[in-house]
Amino acid sequence: QVQLVESGGGLVQPGGSLRLSCAASGFTFSSYWMYWVRQAPGKGLEWVSAINTGGGSTYYADSVKGRFTISRDNAKNTLYLQMNSLKPEDTALYYCARDSLPLVPSWGLDYWGQGTQVTVSS
């Protein structure tokens, strides 16, 4: 069965950095676009970043562009999100998610992890 397990969240001061990881299993990881999505307290879901199957194309929300970097290691079936220059407004539950179709991006997400909490506060 498909499983996505995030890790790496925590409490960090403004301006700090964190690296999130998402371990994938139960499917051919290298065949799917992958995404990071977050949900701040009391708010809706916000798409953060996306990466194509090979890792050569990446996409970011304007709110994180220039501060966050998405990457993947297909040999390790792992997705990453390097977050730098963190701001209090980055506080959220961060999910990794899989595209619903193999090889091509539908931007529909069919499997989600349980999320990892990121809190940015002094």
Side-chain angles (χ1 to χ4, degrees):
Q1 66 280 21
V2 174
Q3 284 195 315
L4 299 169
V5 180
E6 302 95 335
S7 61
L11 174 63
V12 63
Q13 292 187 340
S17 298
L18 282 175
R19 188 173 86 150
L20 306 184
S21 299
C22 172
S25 61
F27 66 103
T28 305
F29 179 71
S30 59
S31 294
Y32 287 82
W33 282 57
M34 296 295 295
Y35 305 80
W36 287 100
V37 180
R38 68 186 181 185
Q39 185 167 29
K43 296 190 176 181
L45 294 170
E46 177 189 17
W47 168 75
V48 173
S49 186
I51 189 166
N52 72 338
T53 56
S57 295
T58 57
Y59 305 85
Y60 300 94
D62 287 344
S63 58
V64 306
K65 199 171 295 182
R67 300 187 298 120
F68 289 12
T69 302
I70 190 172
S71 63
R72 65 192 297 162
D73 185 334
N74 285 341
K76 295 182 178 180
N77 290 345
T78 304
L79 176 72
Y80 302 101
L81 185 68
Q82 177 67 45
M83 305 186 296
N84 298 330
S85 302
L86 283 161
K87 305 175 180 180
E89 51 264 42
D90 294 317
T91 295
L93 189 60
Y94 284 72
Y95 299 94
C96 69
R98 190 190 82 165
D99 199 289
S100 60
L101 295 178
L103 303 179
V104 295
S106 74
W107 294 85
L109 310 180
D110 60 353
Y111 285 94
W112 298 64
Q114 82 289 348
T116 186
Q117 179 67 40
V118 171
T119 302
V120 184
S121 175
S122 54

